[in-house]
PDB file of all heavy atoms in Angstrom:
ATOM      1  N   ILE A1641     -14.772 -11.911 -14.883  1.00 92.00           N
ATOM      2  CA  ILE A1641     -15.089 -12.238 -13.497  1.00 92.00           C
ATOM      3  C   ILE A1641     -13.864 -11.950 -12.642  1.00 92.00           C
ATOM      4  O   ILE A1641     -12.746 -11.905 -13.158  1.00 92.00           O
ATOM      5  CB  ILE A1641     -15.531 -13.720 -13.335  1.00 92.00           C
ATOM      6  CG1 ILE A1641     -14.432 -14.688 -13.807  1.00 92.00           C
ATOM      7  CG2 ILE A1641     -16.839 -13.987 -14.040  1.00 92.00           C
ATOM      8  CD1 ILE A1641     -14.749 -16.158 -13.570  1.00 92.00           C
ATOM      9  N   PRO A1642     -14.050 -11.750 -11.338  1.00 91.00           N
ATOM     10  CA  PRO A1642     -12.890 -11.509 -10.464  1.00 91.00           C
ATOM     11  C   PRO A1642     -11.975 -12.729 -10.411  1.00 91.00           C
ATOM     12  O   PRO A1642     -12.435 -13.876 -10.524  1.00 91.00           O
ATOM     13  CB  PRO A1642     -13.521 -11.259  -9.084  1.00 91.00           C
ATOM     14  CG  PRO A1642     -14.949 -10.943  -9.346  1.00 91.00           C
ATOM     15  CD  PRO A1642     -15.317 -11.633 -10.620  1.00 91.00           C
ATOM     16  N   ILE A1643     -10.702 -12.474 -10.215  1.00 88.00           N
ATOM     17  CA  ILE A1643      -9.734 -13.573 -10.159  1.00 88.00           C
ATOM     18  C   ILE A1643     -10.028 -14.491  -8.976  1.00 88.00           C
ATOM     19  O   ILE A1643      -9.804 -15.698  -9.047  1.00 88.00           O
ATOM     20  CB  ILE A1643      -8.282 -13.059 -10.141  1.00 88.00           C
ATOM     21  CG1 ILE A1643      -7.308 -14.222 -10.374  1.00 88.00           C
ATOM     22  CG2 ILE A1643      -7.994 -12.321  -8.854  1.00 88.00           C
ATOM     23  CD1 ILE A1643      -5.895 -13.804 -10.676  1.00 88.00           C
ATOM     24  N   GLY A1644     -10.564 -13.945  -7.903  1.00 89.00           N
ATOM     25  CA  GLY A1644     -10.934 -14.774  -6.762  1.00 89.00           C
ATOM     26  C   GLY A1644     -11.993 -15.805  -7.124  1.00 89.00           C
ATOM     27  O   GLY A1644     -11.984 -16.935  -6.614  1.00 89.00           O
ATOM     28  N   THR A1645     -12.895 -15.441  -8.012  1.00 91.00           N
ATOM     29  CA  THR A1645     -13.925 -16.374  -8.482  1.00 91.00           C
ATOM     30  C   THR A1645     -13.291 -17.487  -9.305  1.00 91.00           C
ATOM     31  O   THR A1645     -13.660 -18.659  -9.166  1.00 91.00           O
ATOM     32  CB  THR A1645     -14.979 -15.615  -9.316  1.00 91.00           C
ATOM     33  OG1 THR A1645     -15.543 -14.577  -8.507  1.00 91.00           O
ATOM     34  CG2 THR A1645     -16.080 -16.544  -9.800  1.00 91.00           C
ATOM     35  N   VAL A1646     -12.327 -17.127 -10.146  1.00 91.00           N
ATOM     36  CA  VAL A1646     -11.603 -18.143 -10.922  1.00 91.00           C
ATOM     37  C   VAL A1646     -10.917 -19.125  -9.974  1.00 91.00           C
ATOM     38  O   VAL A1646     -11.010 -20.344 -10.151  1.00 91.00           O
ATOM     39  CB  VAL A1646     -10.567 -17.492 -11.871  1.00 91.00           C
ATOM     40  CG1 VAL A1646      -9.649 -18.536 -12.484  1.00 91.00           C
ATOM     41  CG2 VAL A1646     -11.262 -16.695 -12.953  1.00 91.00           C
ATOM     42  N   LYS A1647     -10.252 -18.599  -8.958  1.00 90.00           N
ATOM     43  CA  LYS A1647      -9.529 -19.458  -8.015  1.00 90.00           C
ATOM     44  C   LYS A1647     -10.480 -20.387  -7.270  1.00 90.00           C
ATOM     45  O   LYS A1647     -10.179 -21.570  -7.083  1.00 90.00           O
ATOM     46  CB  LYS A1647      -8.744 -18.595  -7.025  1.00 90.00           C
ATOM     47  CG  LYS A1647      -7.582 -17.872  -7.675  1.00 90.00           C
ATOM     48  CD  LYS A1647      -6.861 -16.998  -6.678  1.00 90.00           C
ATOM     49  CE  LYS A1647      -5.706 -16.288  -7.369  1.00 90.00           C
ATOM     50  NZ  LYS A1647      -4.833 -15.602  -6.437  1.00 90.00           N
ATOM     51  N   SER A1648     -11.614 -19.861  -6.849  1.00 89.00           N
ATOM     52  CA  SER A1648     -12.582 -20.692  -6.119  1.00 89.00           C
ATOM     53  C   SER A1648     -13.136 -21.799  -7.001  1.00 89.00           C
ATOM     54  O   SER A1648     -13.230 -22.960  -6.590  1.00 89.00           O
ATOM     55  CB  SER A1648     -13.744 -19.833  -5.613  1.00 89.00           C
ATOM     56  OG  SER A1648     -13.293 -18.906  -4.674  1.00 89.00           O
ATOM     57  N   ARG A1649     -13.504 -21.444  -8.229  1.00 91.00           N
ATOM     58  CA  ARG A1649     -14.052 -22.453  -9.144  1.00 91.00           C
ATOM     59  C   ARG A1649     -13.002 -23.498  -9.493  1.00 91.00           C
ATOM     60  O   ARG A1649     -13.317 -24.685  -9.596  1.00 91.00           O
ATOM     61  CB  ARG A1649     -14.572 -21.786 -10.420  1.00 91.00           C
ATOM     62  CG  ARG A1649     -15.820 -20.967 -10.191  1.00 91.00           C
ATOM     63  CD  ARG A1649     -16.264 -20.257 -11.449  1.00 91.00           C
ATOM     64  NE  ARG A1649     -17.391 -19.389 -11.178  1.00 91.00           N
ATOM     65  CZ  ARG A1649     -17.878 -18.519 -12.044  1.00 91.00           C
ATOM     66  NH1 ARG A1649     -17.343 -18.416 -13.258  1.00 91.00           N
ATOM     67  NH2 ARG A1649     -18.901 -17.761 -11.721  1.00 91.00           N
ATOM     68  N   LEU A1650     -11.763 -23.068  -9.654  1.00 90.00           N
ATOM     69  CA  LEU A1650     -10.687 -24.005  -9.961  1.00 90.00           C
ATOM     70  C   LEU A1650     -10.470 -24.963  -8.796  1.00 90.00           C
ATOM     71  O   LEU A1650     -10.371 -26.179  -8.984  1.00 90.00           O
ATOM     72  CB  LEU A1650      -9.398 -23.251 -10.282  1.00 90.00           C
ATOM     73  CG  LEU A1650      -8.183 -24.109 -10.606  1.00 90.00           C
ATOM     74  CD1 LEU A1650      -8.422 -24.950 -11.852  1.00 90.00           C
ATOM     75  CD2 LEU A1650      -6.953 -23.223 -10.795  1.00 90.00           C
ATOM     76  N   ARG A1651     -10.411 -24.426  -7.590  1.00 89.00           N
ATOM     77  CA  ARG A1651     -10.204 -25.261  -6.410  1.00 89.00           C
ATOM     78  C   ARG A1651     -11.323 -26.297  -6.282  1.00 89.00           C
ATOM     79  O   ARG A1651     -11.066 -27.492  -6.101  1.00 89.00           O
ATOM     80  CB  ARG A1651     -10.140 -24.406  -5.151  1.00 89.00           C
ATOM     81  CG  ARG A1651      -9.893 -25.207  -3.887  1.00 89.00           C
ATOM     82  CD  ARG A1651      -9.861 -24.342  -2.637  1.00 89.00           C
ATOM     83  NE  ARG A1651     -10.964 -23.403  -2.533  1.00 89.00           N
ATOM     84  CZ  ARG A1651     -12.194 -23.726  -2.140  1.00 89.00           C
ATOM     85  NH1 ARG A1651     -12.475 -24.956  -1.811  1.00 89.00           N
ATOM     86  NH2 ARG A1651     -13.134 -22.814  -2.082  1.00 89.00           N
ATOM     87  N   LEU A1652     -12.576 -25.860  -6.421  1.00 90.00           N
ATOM     88  CA  LEU A1652     -13.708 -26.789  -6.312  1.00 90.00           C
ATOM     89  C   LEU A1652     -13.669 -27.837  -7.419  1.00 90.00           C
ATOM     90  O   LEU A1652     -13.906 -29.022  -7.178  1.00 90.00           O
ATOM     91  CB  LEU A1652     -15.028 -26.018  -6.358  1.00 90.00           C
ATOM     92  CG  LEU A1652     -15.323 -25.146  -5.143  1.00 90.00           C
ATOM     93  CD1 LEU A1652     -16.541 -24.270  -5.407  1.00 90.00           C
ATOM     94  CD2 LEU A1652     -15.519 -25.995  -3.906  1.00 90.00           C
TER      95      LEU A1652
END
Side-chain angles (χ1 to χ4, degrees):
I1641 59 175
I1643 192 167
T1645 302
V1646 170
K1647 291 178 180 189
S1648 295
R1649 290 177 185 171
L1650 179 62
R1651 181 181 48 79
L1652 291 171

